[in-house]
Amino acid sequence: MTTVEPIRNKKDIKKVERLLSQQSKRDLLLFVIGTNCGLRISDILNLNVGDVRNKTYIQIVEKKTGKFKKFPINAKLKPMIDDFCKGRRDKEPLFKSHRGRRLDRVTAYYLIHNACKSVGLDEKIGTHSMRKTFGYHHYQLFKDVVLLQKIFNHSSPQITLRYIGIEQDQIDYSYNNFIL
């Protein structure tokens, strides 16, 4: 199994967002929710319009863990969600395929992977990259691995650091700066 990487450069995130905004509001919102909430793709795709419309928090039961999760909808997402949900029914899937069905994880993978590839990202990118990107930048901003561990429901800070690629960054830095 190949592990995917976070998108470490904020300029690259903006490039992906610009490209996706030209493709569709759906694809852009999928990516922005993924990078701003740290949810697994299964939980993102499981959202219905009523789960996010006119809400200040998203509340879910995680598909993988069965644990309850509640977090605020940030200022970037709120207007995007409001615009995207106009004229839609609460019970319908937030993310639908062109055939009107709930978007599946394979399609989501190709949307994200191809967008990242199109803007020149060489890293191994998949849908899980969005969750790792959230974690990576959350850690860079707050430097609080314990909080991030709680957000991700990881069993230890070491697992969280390895998961978001910080451990490898630190190893790379030490090798690159150790010269005898």
Side-chain angles (χ1 to χ4, degrees), residues 28-47:
L28 175 62
L29 184 60
L30 177 74
F31 183 75
V32 175
I33 284 178
T35 57
N36 280 259
C37 298
L39 293 175
R40 291 178 184 88
I41 192 65
S42 57
D43 294 322
I44 295 171
L45 297 177
N46 210 30
L47 292 170

Side-chain angles (χ1 to χ4, degrees), residues 56-151:
T56 54
Y57 284 85
I58 293 176
Q59 299 181 65
I60 63 166
V61 174
E62 292 179 325
K63 206 170 182 179
K64 181 178 178 180
T65 65
K67 293 180 181 176
F68 176 77
K69 185 178 193 89
K70 176 182 175 181
F71 56 92
I73 298 172
N74 72 24
K76 180 175 183 173
L77 277 172
K78 188 75 176 124
M80 292 175 75
I81 289 171
D82 290 346
D83 181 52
F84 190 70
C85 291
K86 281 181 186 161
R88 298 183 61 196
R89 296 180 335 273
D90 280 352
K91 295 280 184 201
E92 72 179 90
L94 184 61
F95 298 106
K96 296 193 307 188
S97 71
H98 297 296
R99 293 184 176 163
R101 296 188 187 108
R102 189 174 297 276
L103 194 68
D104 64 78
R105 62 187 310 125
V106 173
T107 305
Y109 166 81
Y110 283 109
L111 292 172
I112 301 307
H113 180 81
N114 291 340
C116 290
K117 196 174 177 183
S118 293
V119 299
L121 295 181
D122 295 328
E123 295 88 352
K124 294 175 185 167
I125 299 290
T127 55
H128 215 58
S129 295
M130 296 184 296
R131 180 171 160 93
K132 289 185 175 192
T133 298
F134 166 85
Y136 182 86
H137 291 282
H138 190 283
Y139 178 78
Q140 295 297 340
L141 181 61
F142 298 109
K143 298 293 186 198
D144 189 342
V145 69
V146 175
L147 175 60
L148 195 53
Q149 172 193 345
K150 287 178 185 177
I151 289 170

